[in-house]
Amino acid sequence: MNALTMTDFHFPGQKEVYHGKVRDVYNIDDDLMVMVATDRISAFDVVLPKGIPFKGQVLNQIAAKFLDASKQVVPNWKLATPDPMVTVGLKCEGFRVEMIIRGYLTGSAWREYKSGCRMLCGVPLPEGMRENERFPHPIITPTTKADEGHDENISKEEIIEKGIVSREDYEQMEQYTYALFDLGTAIAAEKGLILVDTKYEFGKRDGKVYLIDEIHTPDSSRYFYAEGYEEKFQKGEPQRQLSKEFVRQWLIEHNFMNQPGQTMPELTDEFVASISDRYIELYEHITGEKFVKAPATEDLAARIEQNVRNYLENR
């Protein structure tokens, strides 16, 4: 199975390239961004040693659909998807904050809560909550966006006091975050899913705040299946979910959380294939469409380069 884990393109007008954990972002004439969703996968702030076939295509196509669906609610950066693994959009100056919004107490928030934490990013948490319980209202728990290493939890007040983001811009992002989460929740419910938590990134261009990067993908979001949620919650059983959490759990079970002295376990071909299947399952569930795989023999890098060049030369 093909997997694209590295890119080294040279597009017309290219100024620079940023290689992220999953996405490689090419700056075109300081005006456009070509964002390539690779098949890399990260967990605990480290990129795993094997790529996941079709993961980049899944992420890019889900994000593109949600960007299109939300553009009446929030302005966003997307202009086109010239390739199944690529989005081209407006270059914005990104804010150094990720807006994480949570509808349920789970994942890292639950781990903090279980250890006794009752204040998360300046937001008070109710007493007596259980794992996977719905919050009375969704809460925003922002993090600072780190170039390397861990993103750090931070409160709204600290963000504004430190001048990381102005109060006006932060409150605009806050309003957009709630609106996007409401929309994502409604779309997920139509498909029998619960949007549990997610993150959004924003940037600014010509004085206007835009939604940038991905949205509502399994890398940035956690979904539960609605069917059986209440029964499993009442019994204290793990929820059936579509997200990267199962990858994190597998790593935890194999004694890896990226702590000093820990060694990355070997990813078997069978486990890699199972991750790929889970990503495709989410795509089909959340979009209601059949996933169309690229031919197994296709040179992904050559295809992407040709498709992007055609777009840039003919736009």
Side-chain angles (χ1 to χ4, degrees):
M1 292 191 293
N2 281 356
L4 181 74
T5 56
M6 293 180 63
T7 74
D8 184 26
F9 297 122
H10 300 280
F11 298 124
Q14 181 174 319
K15 289 283 189 79
E16 59 190 354
V17 58
Y18 167 73
H19 296 283
K21 291 181 189 134
V22 172
R23 286 171 173 75
D24 293 345
V25 185
Y26 292 79
N27 174 354
I28 308 299
D29 289 324
D30 287 327
D31 182 46
L32 301 181
M33 303 297 272
V34 172
M35 183 179 285
V36 183
T38 74
D39 293 319
R40 298 192 295 268
I41 186 168
S42 71
F44 298 117
D45 293 314
V46 64
V47 176
L48 276 58
K50 288 186 179 179
I52 309 301
F54 307 111
K55 175 180 176 285
Q57 182 181 345
V58 164
L59 295 188
N60 192 64
Q61 291 184 332
I62 290 176
K65 287 178 184 297
F66 274 104
L67 287 169
D68 289 344
S70 65
K71 63 185 176 184
Q72 302 304 320
V73 178
V74 176
N76 70 61
W77 72 292
K78 175 180 175 282
L79 295 174
T81 47
D83 183 272
M85 298 175 76
V86 177
T87 297
V88 179
L90 300 171
K91 183 179 185 296
C92 301
E93 186 65 36
F95 292 110
R96 305 301 296 166
V97 167
E98 291 186 352
M99 300 295 278
I100 297 171
I101 182 165
R102 305 173 186 275
Y104 294 74
L105 180 60
T106 193
S108 63
W110 167 248
R111 290 191 281 271
E112 294 256 351
Y113 190 90
K114 191 167 59 169
S115 71
C117 172
R118 293 296 180 271
M119 184 74 73
L120 193 59
C121 301
V123 180
L125 304 178
E127 287 291 345
M129 289 191 71
R130 296 159 54 200
E131 185 175 13
N132 301 327
E133 184 170 351
R134 185 177 182 175
F135 287 115
H137 304 283
I139 63 171
I140 294 176
T141 57
T143 64
T144 54
K145 189 166 170 52
D147 288 324
E148 293 182 6
H150 293 276
D151 295 342
E152 298 290 337
N153 286 345
I154 191 169
S155 69
K156 171 182 178 176
E157 290 71 24
E158 288 176 296
I159 290 168
I160 294 167
E161 283 172 11
K162 292 180 178 180
I164 300 170
V165 180
S166 71
R167 179 176 294 277
E168 181 183 8
D169 286 339
Y170 186 88
E171 290 181 350
Q172 180 70 84
M173 291 194 297
E174 199 173 46
Q175 178 187 330
Y176 283 162
T177 295
Y178 283 123
L180 289 165
F181 192 70
D182 285 347
L183 177 68
T185 296
I187 293 173
E190 291 171 3
K191 308 296 184 185
L193 295 171
I194 295 169
L195 179 58
V196 177
D197 51 39
T198 190
K199 74 175 177 70
Y200 304 115
E201 295 188 40
F202 296 91
K204 206 167 186 181
R205 178 182 171 115
D206 300 328
K208 183 176 176 180
V209 175
Y210 287 85
L211 172 67
I212 60 174
D213 202 43
E214 64 179 339
I215 171 176
H216 297 163
T217 74
D219 268 21
S220 66
S221 314
R222 190 191 323 262
Y223 292 90
F224 290 159
Y225 285 92
E227 184 178 359
Y229 163 77
E230 189 60 35
E231 182 181 356
K232 288 180 181 298
F233 173 68
Q234 294 300 338
K235 291 180 177 178
E237 296 176 353
Q239 292 293 329
R240 186 166 170 245
Q241 62 177 284
L242 285 169
S243 73
K244 256 194 338 188
E245 187 65 17
F246 78 98
V247 178
R248 297 188 194 98
Q249 289 300 329
W250 184 88
L251 290 170
I252 290 170
E253 289 165 11
H254 288 77
N255 302 310
F256 183 82
M257 292 181 68
N258 197 21
Q259 300 297 322
Q262 293 183 336
T263 303
M264 172 69 69
E266 182 186 356
L267 272 68
T268 65
D269 290 344
E270 290 77 16
F271 185 59
V272 167
S274 74
I275 300 173
S276 181
D277 290 343
R278 291 284 284 271
Y279 272 86
I280 291 170
E281 180 186 1
L282 187 137
Y283 174 90
E284 294 184 341
H285 210 112
I286 197 63
T287 66
E289 299 173 5
K290 185 74 176 169
F291 183 77
V292 180
K293 294 181 177 181
T297 56
E298 193 164 39
D299 183 332
L300 298 179
R303 183 198 73 196
I304 288 169
E305 179 138 29
Q306 187 60 55
N307 285 340
V308 172
R309 281 182 172 276
N310 288 345
Y311 173 79
L312 293 175
E313 288 166 4
N314 296 305
R315 70 185 178 93

